[in-house]
Amino acid sequence: MGEPAYSTRLERILGVQLSEDAVRQWPQSGELIRGRSRIADVESHFVGLRLGVGRRHALGNTVVVEWSTDYGEAQIYRNVSIAELENGMAVRVTDYWGGPFTPPAWRKTLAEGLEMPADGTWPAADALTQD
């Protein structure tokens, strides 16, 4: 018996199914994509994308994946995705790749704003302390 058939690129990267109400968080652009079908819709805009999974780490109800991608510009991006699982399915995924950027206009109808309180998971610049 082989690996299950995954219908979204994110499921292939993670190696697990997404729940129907999964959320995908992109702190770099301040976006949140809500729902498996909407995640697939956003993915459909990246025609010709190539990717390779380097390593997957399963730690209890968490999967961490290190992967690389090329959006067709001959530039390789290094990425890390962290998935939180419930009943073996990803319910929340946070992707990290590159620095902050303004999301493209076409995503406005597909994405919500990602709440990023200054004292939350992604501290604001004025909440950082000298190390």
Side-chain angles (χ1 to χ4, degrees), residues 5-117:
Y6 299 120
S7 61
T8 71
R9 185 176 290 137
L10 183 56
E11 289 171 327
R12 290 189 297 278
I13 291 166
L14 297 173
V16 298
Q17 297 273 321
L18 295 172
S19 68
E20 288 303 318
D21 59 349
V23 295
R24 190 172 194 181
Q25 304 178 126
W26 290 331
Q28 297 86 333
S29 60
E31 295 174 283
L32 180 142
I33 311 299
R34 188 178 302 280
R36 186 172 180 269
S37 63
R38 189 157 282 179
I39 290 168
D41 192 9
V42 169
E43 290 178 347
S44 74
H45 289 265
F46 297 100
V47 178
L49 181 138
R50 299 178 320 130
L51 65 85
V53 171
R55 296 191 293 179
R56 270 190 204 105
H57 308 275
L59 311 160
N61 288 325
T62 304
V63 173
V64 178
V65 183
E66 298 171 86
W67 56 288
S68 299
T69 190
D70 176 357
Y71 291 92
E73 341 169 301
Q75 181 174 342
I76 304 298
Y77 294 86
R78 307 300 182 196
N79 315 290
V80 175
S81 295
I82 304 167
E84 298 171 41
L85 309 180
E86 288 181 8
N87 301 317
M89 300 181 90
V91 295
R92 181 177 18 258
V93 180
T94 304
D95 295 310
Y96 294 99
W97 27 256
F101 66 94
T102 301
W106 64 262
R107 274 209 308 258
K108 193 171 193 112
T109 60
L110 299 172
E112 301 171 30
L114 176 61
E115 290 191 31
M116 299 174 65

